Amino acid sequence: MVQLGPQALEACWSLDQAALGGFWSRPQWQQELEQDRRPCLGIWRGEDLLALACGWLVADELHITAVATHPEQRRQGLGRRVLGALLSHAAAEGAQHATLEVAAGNQAAQALYAAAGFRTAGVRRGYYRSGEDALIQWMRLDRGADPSQSPGGSAAT
Ligand SMILES: CC(C)(COP(=O)(O)OP(=O)(O)OC[C@H]1O[C@@H](n2cnc3c(N)ncnc32)[C@H](O)[C@@H]1OP(=O)(O)O)[C@@H](O)C(=O)NCCC(=O)NCCS
């Protein structure tokens, strides 16, 4: 598990193209990878970036912006590991809770977030360009806990 910096720009952009359909442009990725308080963690095999999880630390909150595993590497626990590491990092930086939006039809991501301890806290109707609703996910972070080691164990009620 490593922190991704500007040198990972091409790898992040490629994984984004393959896994997220081009969520961010190269300049947007560059900004994400350069700025403080925007942690981005990744799992590599050799030169290949297999999974990543990125977020913004805003006040006492981690807003997760991107989680992705390469389509050929799914269901091996990489998403769980990289998400757990991002949550641990944010907790160590003082974040008290984490939040994100997930498409109402994205069953895989919803299952991943539920396993990590997130709960659905609300719905944003027509949030996506397609008109699809977004489910607001939320969890409390216990400082010192390692969510990657205990799925669901640090969830708020
Ligand atoms: C969502 C995503 C990151 C999951 O990555 P992954 O590496 O395959 O996930 P993991 O192997 O760590 O799975 C962890 C748990 O999540 C759940 N899960 C993951 N994929 C799932 C699927 N297709 N169907 C049902 N549950 C799934 C399971 O509970 C799984 O645990 P298990 O394998 O022990 O049953 C991956 O499917 C992806 O990149 N999707 C496209 C991008 C995306 O939608 N990102 C989220 C945007 S909000």
Side-chain angles (χ1 to χ4, degrees):
M1 189 76 50
V2 294
Q3 178 93 36
L4 300 173
Q7 76 289 350
L9 172 61
E10 270 317 299
C12 290
W13 182 82
S14 296
L15 180 54
D16 176 359
Q17 293 289 314
L20 291 162
F23 177 57
W24 279 328
S25 65
R26 276 195 180 86
Q28 286 172 314
W29 270 110
Q30 185 154 9
Q31 205 173 13
E32 292 307 310
L33 296 168
E34 273 173 6
Q35 293 202 0
D36 279 350
R37 308 283 293 163
R38 295 195 180 183
C40 210
L41 301 181
I43 298 173
W44 298 84
R45 185 188 296 142
E47 307 231 314
D48 298 326
L49 181 62
L50 306 183
L52 60 74
C54 305
W56 296 351
L57 287 163
V58 182
D60 66 348
E61 178 175 299
L62 171 71
H63 190 104
I64 296 175
T65 50
V67 179
T69 298
H70 192 282
E72 290 167 12
Q73 304 294 335
R74 289 182 185 163
R75 297 310 291 266
Q76 302 173 48
L78 296 174
R80 188 198 306 272
R81 271 177 57 207
V82 78
L83 174 64
L86 181 66
L87 295 171
S88 296
H89 172 87
E93 290 288 315
Q96 308 260 325
H97 54 272
T99 187
L100 60 95
E101 283 90 20
V102 61
N106 190 345
Q107 302 291 343
Q110 284 172 43
L112 171 69
Y113 298 133
F118 282 89
R119 300 291 175 261
T120 298
V123 180
R124 295 193 205 281
R125 301 263 171 228
Y127 180 79
Y128 296 101
R129 242 173 285 168
S130 62
E132 192 173 3
D133 294 343
L135 306 181
I136 302 165
Q137 304 290 294
W138 192 89
M139 78 177 281
R140 176 167 293 283
L141 298 171
D142 294 328
R143 215 171 289 195
D146 182 352
S148 65
Q149 298 302 312
S150 77
S154 52
T157 50

